[in-house]
Amino acid sequence: MKRITTEAAEPQEHRTKPPTVRDVARRAGLSQAAVSYALAGPSPRVSDQTRQRVLQAAAELGYQPNVLARVMKGKEAGLLGIIVRDGGAPTAAEVCRTLMTRAPAYGYDIILTDAGNSATTLLRLANLMKSRLCDGLFLVGELPDQDMHWDAYERLGVPTVALLHGDERAYPGTRVSVERRSGLREALDHLYELGHRHIGFVGSDLLNGLKERRRTFVSLMRERGLPLPKESLLLTDFSREGGRDAMRRLMSMASPPTAVLACADLVASGMLVEARRAGVAVPGDISVVGYDDNPEAEYSCPTLTTVHQPIAEMADRALEWFQSRRAGGASSLDNLVVNATLVVRESTGPAPLDGPAKGRAHTGAVRRGRSSVPGG
Amino acid sequence: MKRITTEAAEPQEHRTKPPTVRDVARRAGLSQAAVSYALAGPSPRVSDQTRQRVLQAAAELGYQPNVLARVMKGKEAGLLGIIVRDGGAPTAAEVCRTLMTRAPAYGYDIILTDAGNSATTLLRLANLMKSRLCDGLFLVGELPDQDMHWDAYERLGVPTVALLHGDERAYPGTRVSVERRSGLREALDHLYELGHRHIGFVGSDLLNGLKERRRTFVSLMRERGLPLPKESLLLTDFSREGGRDAMRRLMSMASPPTAVLACADLVASGMLVEARRAGVAVPGDISVVGYDDNPEAEYSCPTLTTVHQPIAEMADRALEWFQSRRAGGASSLDNLVVNATLVVRESTGPAPLDGPAKGRAHTGAVRRGRSSVPGG
DNA sequence: CTGTTAGCGCGTTCAG
DNA sequence: CTGAACGCGCTAACAG
């Protein structure tokens, strides 16, 4: 009963705030409802003439609807959110880019935030996006300690698809996962055919997904009856520096493997850099295989043989899932599997005939070049 | 008068919707207002005891405030938005990453969307972010045709800072710009000292910023009285492929430059790849300088001498601007300038003593390798 | 057939 | 400490 406001309000401070439907209505001499109907498209509710008046008034004021208000009313936003653990990781970055590129084809806009490795940031941002803003969420890349935050994840209350999250123990919700075994098997077959028998692995325990790659590798090696001395299973940081360090350690081994699988291209890339620096030939002395097939793999030196993760396909699976949900089917807890395949480039070649690299002439060069290095 | 809803509604469907202040209030046996005050922090409006009750009820329900509703009410969101023209471009990607990493230190969260090179998409997303959601916007990377959309940009009605946008003719609003002249001058000095006199440029006209780099290069060459034949000013695509194409054209020239500046690392990287493929030595036969200092520059083969854009500093300038605005000063239309500096790595070396690369033995190899290439 | 009124959703805030 | 209005755009139900 105390409605004092309405038309009596002063118009002078409207300059700063963007115009609303009310402003347009005032200008067109109509009610807000009429404006809303007119703006929604041709409709039997408003005459074409009125509609034109509205459209013109809106254009003159530069009116843009407030999406937030619309969303609050309960309309679908047509917006999906990406929360990436660490946008600096090349594979995660490419997944995000791909999702963003492809989303429009599925009728979605997309926004992204970076959790910067912090679980609390992730939850804060998730809460923001979930507040009716986004119809769904992608979780790209796992957090190192995400297992601790399960309850919070589950409470999100927004349809969510996880990507790059390892297997169901690492993330029990709906996720896109890569069939690890086949890709790694291809890599091992490839190396075996090239004559390699002593094959090492450079891994990291930072994330569940990386651990799984190592476990799968070990199991495949056993399956095939190949020797796997403990020192050929290296652990290092999930970074380019980690790769360099691993390569140094390999070069200092009495009997290093003739071929090595890295848990990620990022690590493999560091290995190549260090090999080049130390004068170790790849693949002449040691073959290196990556995992991920980041865009850089094609431009490294030598170009990198690696297990390709089909990122475009992963993005499509994830987007399709949202689309079919929107259509009606509440298909809960899916596991959307895609396959990885080996891409052979320059970093793998025949196993050295005269045994491991260590015995060869240039090994001296390695020692000379970096004798004070840790891990030796 | 027809208010049927309210308390009479069935409670069973509350499970799906996240809890609201009303739910917390009901649980604590208080009014929504009391809850709101209590949640806002200690205040004379509610007793500490009541506050505890509220806090506990909120925790039990897993209550999270709806950020959208809060923002609608006119509160600051503490959120900044990034609109990136093309997240695939390495420099833009790194600027975004850096902004996202550093924003928390300035008290902001940050969300990002990719305009995917489309102006309409950009404006749609800008409208979303502007709808009270974001307190400010970063525009990262210019659109090829952005000049056409000036009025729309200006109407955004949100404090905006542009990054990677060329000079004030390209973007008249507040922006962070790189002092181009000094960085390029350093690069030329460096090449000059190495004995290079015939220096070329591989540019692109896609974006204003790239055009400016070329113009600055030309003006510096004139200033120094160095010859600059028209065919040493190459134009190509802003991509790795564009770089490869440019290198092929350079190799087919009768008298190619002994050193070349590329308008961007991305292009320079393609040039290195093609040189390696064709057996042209860098820097033995030709020196290559990039622009941007993307992270990859340090890992290419050879590593790339390039003009470093101080991205961290750019991000800090931009974030500081928002921060000081928030504090009160409405400092409008600033131009926040940072300086670029040369980083010398392996891709530059002394000018060949026996004249341009073309005259040397391996040139034959180049021709053998790729005689059917366009641009020759 | 056209236009208007009124109220939804949710956190905030002023007058009681 | 509570009741009720507010900021928004949208839309069901009514009035002309």
Side-chain angles (χ1 to χ4, degrees):
Chain A
M1 322 125 177
K2 215 156 315 135
R3 214 179 291 116
I4 319 162
T5 46
T6 341
E7 340 277 66
E10 321 88 312
Q12 74 271 19
E13 62 193 6
H14 280 243
R15 303 292 142 72
T16 50
K17 306 237 171 240
T20 74
V21 246
R22 265 90 172 171
D23 298 317
V24 178
R26 215 184 334 261
R27 193 175 174 89
L30 293 166
S31 71
Q32 325 130 28
V35 171
S36 182
Y37 283 125
L39 258 29
S43 121
R45 310 287 323 224
V46 290
S47 70
D48 256 22
Q49 202 197 26
T50 311
R51 204 168 112 75
Q52 288 312 320
R53 263 216 331 258
V54 170
L55 258 32
Q56 198 192 330
E60 283 166 15
L61 292 172
Y63 167 79
Q64 298 273 103
N66 183 325
V67 184
L68 261 56
R70 177 180 301 185
V71 159
M72 274 249 295
K73 187 64 226 263
K75 308 288 282 186
E76 278 218 341
L79 186 68
L80 297 175
I82 301 177
I83 303 183
V84 56
R85 169 188 80 86
D86 170 19
T91 309
E94 219 206 324
V95 167
C96 294
R97 258 204 305 280
T98 309
L99 284 171
M100 297 188 110
T101 308
R102 291 176 115 82
Y106 291 82
Y108 287 107
D109 279 326
I110 216 160
I111 62 179
L112 173 148
T113 78
D114 194 327
N117 263 332
S118 148
T120 55
T121 306
L122 188 147
L123 290 173
R124 185 161 30 94
L125 294 168
N127 178 46
L128 165 72
M129 291 183 152
K130 158 205 97 170
S131 298
R132 286 305 221 359
L133 218 207
C134 296
D135 304 333
L137 247 39
F138 299 99
L139 256 33
V140 177
E142 32 174 351
L143 287 169
D145 56 351
Q146 72 176 8
D147 311 22
M148 297 165 47
H149 300 277
W150 262 114
D151 45 344
Y153 273 51
E154 278 172 0
R155 242 184 240 159
L156 276 182
V158 175
T160 299
V161 176
L163 295 95
L164 306 180
H165 263 78
D167 69 15
E168 54 285 343
R169 279 163 304 181
Y171 184 93
T174 295
R175 80 219 133 80
V176 176
S177 63
V178 178
E179 209 292 286
R180 294 181 309 278
R181 230 172 157 77
S182 61
L184 284 172
R185 195 194 312 269
E186 272 188 58
L188 280 185
D189 284 346
H190 169 65
L191 292 174
Y192 194 89
E193 276 162 30
L194 287 168
H196 296 277
R197 295 299 177 267
H198 184 180
I199 303 173
F201 190 88
V202 176
S204 162
D205 269 353
L206 179 64
L207 305 173
N208 288 312
L210 297 174
K211 277 189 228 169
E212 285 167 22
R213 291 177 194 174
R214 178 166 47 79
R215 273 191 238 116
T216 306
F217 168 81
V218 171
S219 126
L220 284 170
M221 287 291 278
R222 292 229 177 93
E223 208 175 280
R224 182 163 324 225
L226 287 175
L228 186 54
K230 208 165 63 186
E231 74 267 19
S232 295
L233 268 183
L234 287 80
L235 223 55
T236 191
D237 283 346
F238 176 49
S239 68
R240 200 123 40 180
E241 265 318 310
R244 299 187 63 165
D245 177 54
M247 183 53 97
R248 282 185 219 117
R249 274 148 60 196
L250 279 167
M251 288 306 100
S252 73
M253 284 169 62
S255 158
T258 62
V260 183
L261 258 102
C263 65
D265 279 7
L266 186 66
V267 171
S269 155
M271 295 176 67
L272 295 185
V273 168
E274 183 59 24
R276 189 157 69 89
R277 221 196 50 70
V280 174
V282 175
D285 298 324
I286 187 166
S287 286
V288 175
V289 179
Y291 196 105
D292 280 339
D293 195 19
N294 293 330
E296 288 76 28
E298 209 175 333
Y299 294 97
S300 68
C301 170
T303 58
L304 187 66
T305 296
T306 187
V307 177
H308 173 79
Q309 305 221 67
I311 289 184
E313 207 185 321
M314 291 162 70
D316 283 334
R317 283 300 99 69
L319 286 161
E320 279 160 13
W321 187 80
F322 281 113
Q323 200 175 242
S324 75
R325 254 192 75 99
R326 173 144 76 169
S331 47
S332 57
L333 291 205
D334 289 308
N335 181 14
L336 315 164
V337 183
V338 297
N339 279 296
T341 50
L342 185 72
V343 179
V344 177
R345 298 207 183 86
E346 299 168 356
S347 66
T348 46
L353 291 175
D354 53 351
K358 178 61 180 232
R360 291 159 68 104
H362 60 257
T363 309
V366 174
R367 289 210 157 142
R368 247 190 292 116
R370 194 69 172 192
S371 60
S372 63
V373 140
Chain B
M1 326 122 173
K2 218 163 301 147
R3 215 181 291 120
I4 319 165
T5 46
T6 341
E7 338 279 66
E10 320 87 314
Q12 73 270 22
E13 64 193 7
H14 278 245
R15 307 287 144 74
T16 51
K17 305 235 171 246
T20 73
V21 242
R22 265 90 173 168
D23 298 318
V24 178
R26 217 185 331 260
R27 193 176 176 91
L30 294 165
S31 70
Q32 325 133 25
V35 172
S36 181
Y37 285 125
L39 257 29
S43 123
R45 315 284 318 230
V46 289
S47 73
D48 255 24
Q49 201 199 23
T50 309
R51 204 169 111 75
Q52 287 313 320
R53 264 219 327 262
V54 170
L55 258 31
Q56 197 192 332
E60 283 165 14
L61 291 173
Y63 167 80
Q64 298 273 105
N66 183 324
V67 184
L68 260 56
R70 176 179 298 181
V71 159
M72 272 245 298
K73 192 62 227 234
K75 308 289 281 188
E76 278 216 341
L79 186 68
L80 298 174
I82 301 177
I83 303 183
V84 57
R85 169 187 80 85
D86 170 19
T91 309
E94 218 205 324
V95 168
C96 294
R97 254 202 309 279
T98 310
L99 284 171
M100 298 187 110
T101 307
R102 291 177 115 82
Y106 291 83
Y108 287 107
D109 278 325
I110 219 160
I111 62 179
L112 173 147
T113 77
D114 193 326
N117 263 331
S118 148
T120 54
T121 306
L122 187 148
L123 290 174
R124 185 162 29 95
L125 294 169
N127 179 45
L128 164 71
M129 291 183 153
K130 162 205 95 170
S131 297
R132 289 304 225 355
L133 217 205
C134 296
D135 303 333
L137 247 38
F138 300 100
L139 256 32
V140 177
E142 31 174 352
L143 285 170
D145 56 351
Q146 73 177 8
D147 312 21
M148 298 164 47
H149 300 277
W150 262 115
D151 46 344
Y153 272 52
E154 279 172 0
R155 242 184 241 155
L156 276 184
V158 175
T160 298
V161 176
L163 296 95
L164 306 180
H165 263 77
D167 69 15
E168 53 285 344
R169 281 162 304 182
Y171 185 93
T174 295
R175 79 218 134 80
V176 176
S177 63
V178 178
E179 209 291 287
R180 293 182 308 281
R181 230 171 158 77
S182 60
L184 285 171
R185 195 194 312 269
E186 273 188 57
L188 280 186
D189 284 346
H190 169 65
L191 292 174
Y192 193 91
E193 276 162 29
L194 287 168
H196 297 276
R197 294 300 177 266
H198 184 179
I199 303 173
F201 190 88
V202 176
S204 162
D205 268 354
L206 179 65
L207 305 173
N208 288 311
L210 298 173
K211 278 189 229 173
E212 284 167 22
R213 290 176 195 174
R214 177 165 47 78
R215 273 192 237 115
T216 306
F217 169 80
V218 171
S219 126
L220 285 170
M221 287 291 278
R222 292 229 176 91
E223 209 174 280
R224 181 165 324 225
L226 288 174
L228 187 53
K230 209 165 62 188
E231 74 267 20
S232 295
L233 268 182
L234 286 80
L235 224 55
T236 191
D237 284 346
F238 176 51
S239 68
R240 200 122 40 177
E241 265 317 311
R244 299 186 64 165
D245 178 54
M247 184 51 98
R248 283 187 217 114
R249 275 148 61 196
L250 280 167
M251 289 306 100
S252 73
M253 284 170 62
S255 160
T258 61
V260 183
L261 258 103
C263 65
D265 279 7
L266 186 66
V267 171
S269 153
M271 295 176 67
L272 295 185
V273 167
E274 183 59 24
R276 189 157 68 90
R277 220 198 49 73
V280 174
V282 175
D285 298 323
I286 187 167
S287 285
V288 175
V289 179
Y291 195 105
D292 280 339
D293 196 19
N294 293 331
E296 288 75 29
E298 210 176 331
Y299 294 99
S300 68
C301 168
T303 58
L304 187 66
T305 296
T306 188
V307 178
H308 173 79
Q309 304 221 68
I311 289 183
E313 207 185 319
M314 292 162 71
D316 283 334
R317 282 301 98 67
L319 286 160
E320 279 160 13
W321 187 81
F322 280 114
Q323 200 175 241
S324 74
R325 254 192 74 100
R326 173 144 76 168
S331 48
S332 57
L333 292 204
D334 289 309
N335 181 14
L336 315 164
V337 184
V338 298
N339 279 297
T341 51
L342 186 72
V343 179
V344 177
R345 298 207 183 86
E346 300 168 356
S347 67
T348 46
L353 291 175
D354 52 351
K358 178 61 183 232
R360 292 158 69 103
H362 61 259
T363 309
V366 174
R367 288 209 159 144
R368 249 191 291 116
R370 195 71 172 191
S371 60
S372 63
V373 140

